[in-house]
Amino acid sequence: MSKLLIFDHDGAVDDLLSLMLLLTMDHIQLKAISITPADCYPENAIETTYKLLTLARKTDMQIGAGNYYGINAFPAEWRAKPKVLNALPSLINIDTSLQGQIKDSVDVLVHTIRSSDQPVTILLTGPCSNLVFAIEQDKSILQNIAEVIWMGGAVDVPGNVRTYNHDGSAEWNVFWDPVSSHKLLTYQLPLVLIPLDVTNMVPVSMGFLKILALQSDYPLSNLAGQFWATTIDTIPSYEYTYFMWDILAASYLGIPDAFVLEKVELEIQPNGHNSGQTFRKPGSGKWVQMATHVNKERFYQYVLQQLKR
C-alpha cells in the first residue's frame, strides 16, 4: 500500500532536493506540500516547488504557504537561495503562469489530514510551526497522523546556531520557532527525529559531487548537481561544509532499515540563552524515536540510484 505523505519544507536547497528525492519514490503518494517561510523567501520557494512538480507532471498538487515568520530569522543570504535556483538553466524557462491558488498552510494541513481515508505521514524538513498551528486549530487531526519525521534538533552534539546572545546549543529548524518546537513534543505523536547527531555523518563532499557528475546524462542527476553547486559558499564561509540534512530525513521514507533509532525522552527549551536546545530529559514523558546512526554507504548509494530515475 502507498504511504500517504504531506511534505512541509522551508525552501532551502536541501529541502528542494528532498522534494526531488520524494518524487522518485514509487511507494510514496504525495498528498500536499506546505512551505514555511523560514530558510527562504516564500515567493521564490513556491516558484521552485511548482517548477519541480511541473517536471514530475504533478502540478495538480495542493501547495500551501505559511503566514508565520518565526521568532529567530534565518540569515537573509541563506533565504535568497531559491531565487538563484529558479534561474538555473534547467528551471528558468518552466512556465509557472498556470500555477494554482496558494492556500494557507494551516488550512491545507487540516483539510488534507482530516479528509484522508487513511492515516497520513508528515515529513518536516523545516520548522514545525505549520503543523503545530494546524493541531491547535483542530486537535482531531492528531488521530489521523500515522507518523511525523522531522529533521530537527541537536541532542548529544553542538548545535549549528551562531548568533548574538545564544550559547550555540540549538539547531536552526528548532531555533526558528522554539515555542512551537516545545509544544510539538507535548502532543505525544509518533515522532522520528533526524537530528544533527546523525546528519553530521553525511556531508555533501566533493567526492560525492564528482560521482554525481558522472551520471549527469540523467536529467535529475544533472539538476541535483546544479542545486548542490550553489551551496559551495553557504556555510559558514568559503569552505565546503554543507550536509545532507533534509535529504537524509527524506531518505528515511525509502530506506528506514539503514537507520539506527533510539527511543528517548526529550525536552526542547522554548526561550532564553539556550532557546531551541533539544536535550535528553528522563521522566519528561515526551518520547521520540531519535536517529543516532545511518549506514552512510547505503544512504549515498540510494540517493545516487534514485537520481538516475
Side-chain angles (χ1 to χ4, degrees), residues 221-243:
S221 293
N222 188 292
L223 182 58
Q226 292 179 43
F227 272 41
W228 267 310
T230 70
T231 69
I232 295 293
D233 63 349
T234 301
I235 302 171
S237 57
Y238 297 103
E239 180 182 352
Y240 202 92
T241 54
Y242 210 79
F243 290 86

Side-chain angles (χ1 to χ4, degrees), residues 28-252:
I28 294 298
Q29 186 180 346
L30 195 54
K31 299 289 290 183
I33 295 174
S34 168
I35 296 169
T36 301
D39 199 7
C40 68
Y41 293 102
E43 299 81 8
N44 303 137
I46 290 167
E47 183 178 355
T48 317
T49 297
Y50 188 80
K51 287 182 174 184
L52 292 176
L53 292 174
T54 299
L55 289 175
R57 297 182 178 86
K58 294 189 178 181
T59 53
D60 57 345
M61 184 82 56
Q62 179 62 63
I63 302 175
N67 294 310
Y68 175 66
Y69 285 81
I71 295 171
N72 301 300
F74 275 81
E77 60 270 25
W78 299 2
R79 298 181 67 196
K81 194 66 72 173
K83 192 174 185 71
V84 176
L85 302 182
N86 287 325
L88 291 174
S90 297
L91 296 185
I92 193 168
N93 289 319
I94 295 178
D95 182 16
T96 60
S97 62
L98 297 179
Q99 181 177 325
Q101 181 182 3
I102 305 299
K103 297 181 179 180
D104 181 87
S105 279
V106 173
D107 294 336
V108 169
L109 287 168
V110 169
H111 172 74
T112 305
I113 297 169
R114 190 167 53 193
S115 63
S116 176
D117 59 2
Q118 69 183 69
V120 177
T121 296
I122 300 171
L123 173 65
L124 306 173
T125 58
C128 64
S129 310
N130 286 330
L131 177 58
V132 169
F133 295 153
I135 293 169
E136 289 184 338
Q137 179 171 302
D138 184 354
K139 283 192 167 55
S140 71
I141 65 174
L142 286 167
Q143 302 169 19
N144 214 23
I145 296 175
E147 185 177 50
V148 176
I149 301 160
W150 186 22
M151 192 277 112
V155 181
D156 298 323
V157 298
N160 58 4
V161 171
R162 302 289 181 268
T163 190
Y164 175 74
N165 207 28
H166 192 274
D167 68 1
S169 61
E171 179 275 328
W172 264 104
N173 285 343
V174 177
F175 178 66
W176 188 81
D177 184 2
V179 174
S180 291
S181 301
H182 173 79
K183 287 180 180 177
L184 182 66
L185 295 187
T186 69
Y187 298 133
Q188 303 294 306
L189 283 163
L191 174 61
V192 175
L193 193 69
I194 311 292
L196 295 188
D197 305 57
V198 66
T199 63
N200 285 348
M201 300 177 184
V202 285
V204 186
S205 67
M206 284 295 186
F208 169 81
L209 291 183
K210 288 179 179 179
I211 295 171
L212 181 62
L214 294 175
Q215 59 186 56
S216 60
D217 286 346
Y218 295 91
L220 202 56
S221 293
N222 188 292
L223 182 58
Q226 292 179 43
F227 272 41
W228 267 310
T230 70
T231 69
I232 295 293
D233 63 349
T234 301
I235 302 171
S237 57
Y238 297 103
E239 180 182 352
Y240 202 92
T241 54
Y242 210 79
F243 290 86
M244 299 252 187
W245 300 287
D246 300 343
I247 310 294
L248 187 64
S251 76
Y252 178 79

